Amino acid sequence: MEIRRVGASGLRVSRLGLGTMTWGRDTPDEEARALLEMFCAAGGTLIDTAAAYGAGDAERLIGKLVRELTNREEMAIATKAGFVIRGGKRIVDTSRRALLRDLEGSLERLGTDYVDLWQVHAWGDAPLEETLTALDFAVERGMARYVGVSNFVGWQTAQAATWQQAVPGRAPIVSAQVEYSLLARRAEVEVLPAAAAFGLGVFPWSPLARGVLTGQYRGGVPRGSRAASDHFAWFVEPYLEQRSRGVVEAVARAADGLDMSPMQIALLWVRDAPGVTAPLLGARTAGQLAPALATEELALPPEIASALDDVSGGANAGRTAS
């Protein structure tokens, strides 16, 4: 698999990442094993997780499988801190104490001395300078090689990057993780331009619009899908509205014309969008992951990419400029 540089940093990762939000919960251990084996065999190196995923169980499983299946030094493990779910409520705590406590727990669960990329999971109420001192500490102590932010809007991304660049010796922000797909293009307004201005890599999460761009919901909600589950239905429902259907149908038509699956069309559009480092694949089964990995030798014709731009919200300024 092609390896890409994360922004202007020295970190290099595969151009597709393996997302693990469902590990330790909806993805059984043996299925996770099959996913990681397949991903590594295809040359994938980036595994993205978080302290909050499966209440820490995703990290435990990753640590176990990495030790059993591959060489830790060959993998780029990214995790996140500052966000938890307690009593069904989402709690964001980006204080220095909470972040470092999360990181210590992540390292223990992962069974490693360091993570390759440590990210603040969300913007919080703690003073930004306090949050960022935790990132400095983690890099200084060798607990994290690089640091980034996740789910920050444009001005938040720019403020964090500016603060870290202002004084020599601070750990620079090297990446931004944000939702980005044909059904979620808000990142193009501010986040992607901010990332480009500050030399940050971009990791799109949910590049398939929470599964909707695969076309599986064209005829209703299938049994066993995320939209059919009690704890993930809320996650999918925003993209099941009428306004999304035209985009899904356009993706399906492109797939028919290019002899690809809708999933592959949607993934290629994100993977090769300007500024993107690596989309994060949230596959729950090896059967879902295989066609995504099969896109390595594929690319969208420019006219198809532009047509999808138009139908999903307008021309991509970055693509036009390039």
Side-chain angles (χ1 to χ4, degrees):
M1 189 180 299
E2 180 181 317
I3 301 298
R4 289 177 173 175
R5 187 178 179 186
V6 180
S9 76
L11 180 60
R12 296 177 183 273
V13 301
S14 54
R15 65 174 173 175
L16 293 177
L18 187 60
T20 62
M21 185 175 72
T22 63
W23 288 26
R25 185 172 188 174
D26 296 299
T27 300
D29 291 9
E30 285 308 308
E31 196 66 63
R33 175 183 291 273
L35 288 169
L36 185 57
E37 284 181 328
M38 181 179 290
F39 183 67
C40 291
T45 65
L46 174 62
I47 306 174
D48 182 78
T49 189
Y53 293 171
D57 286 342
E59 290 179 327
R60 291 188 188 91
L61 184 53
I62 290 168
K64 176 178 182 290
L65 293 178
V66 167
R67 288 191 297 273
E68 294 176 356
L69 300 177
T70 188
N71 185 335
R72 167 68 183 93
E73 297 302 317
E74 295 177 356
M75 305 306 295
I77 298 178
T79 193
K80 298 179 282 291
F83 172 81
V84 296
I85 297 178
R86 296 194 187 108
K89 295 182 178 180
R90 301 172 199 169
I91 299 173
V92 176
D93 187 348
T94 55
S95 65
R96 175 188 171 98
R97 178 176 180 273
L99 290 174
L100 292 175
R101 181 183 59 214
D102 281 355
L103 179 57
E104 290 171 356
S106 291
L107 295 178
E108 181 178 354
R109 289 186 292 270
L110 289 165
T112 184
D113 295 330
Y114 69 95
V115 291
D116 298 274
L117 178 65
W118 188 43
Q119 304 152 101
V120 181
H121 204 153
W123 182 269
D125 293 332
L128 180 61
E129 54 269 33
E130 177 184 338
T131 296
L132 297 176
T133 63
L135 306 188
D136 295 336
F137 181 87
V139 173
E140 290 170 2
R141 294 299 178 93
M143 303 165 78
R145 292 177 59 209
Y146 295 92
V147 292
V149 296
S150 177
N151 299 312
F152 280 31
V153 298
W155 70 265
Q156 294 165 347
T157 302
Q159 186 175 2
T162 298
W163 182 273
Q164 292 303 90
Q165 289 182 5
V167 176
R170 288 178 179 160
I173 302 296
V174 305
S175 66
Q177 187 173 142
V178 63
E179 183 174 13
Y180 185 44
S181 73
L182 277 163
L183 293 181
R185 294 182 58 187
R186 292 183 299 275
E188 293 173 15
V189 178
E190 291 186 346
V191 178
L192 291 180
F198 289 94
L200 312 186
V202 175
F203 298 112
W205 60 264
S206 206
L208 305 179
R210 312 180 188 190
V212 173
L213 288 169
T214 65
Q216 66 175 310
Y217 298 105
R218 293 169 75 191
V221 177
R223 181 179 299 178
S225 66
R226 287 184 177 179
S229 70
D230 292 337
H231 53 274
F232 271 129
W234 66 270
F235 187 64
V236 179
E237 284 171 359
Y239 296 133
L240 296 180
E241 298 176 353
Q242 181 64 38
R243 62 185 177 84
S244 300
R245 294 181 183 176
V247 178
V248 174
E249 292 305 316
V251 169
R253 287 194 298 273
D256 289 341
L258 294 173
D259 195 24
M260 298 183 198
S261 69
M263 182 277 294
Q264 290 175 321
I265 296 292
L267 178 60
L268 288 169
W269 183 91
V270 178
R271 187 196 70 186
D272 297 330
V276 167
T277 302
L280 303 174
L281 304 170
R284 290 181 291 157
T285 68
Q288 293 173 346
L289 182 62
L293 298 177
T295 62
E296 180 61 21
E297 304 301 324
L298 303 176
L300 289 182
E303 60 272 20
I304 298 298
S306 294
L308 292 173
D309 287 351
D310 291 341
V311 76
S312 63
N316 183 318
R319 199 191 308 275
T320 302
S322 63

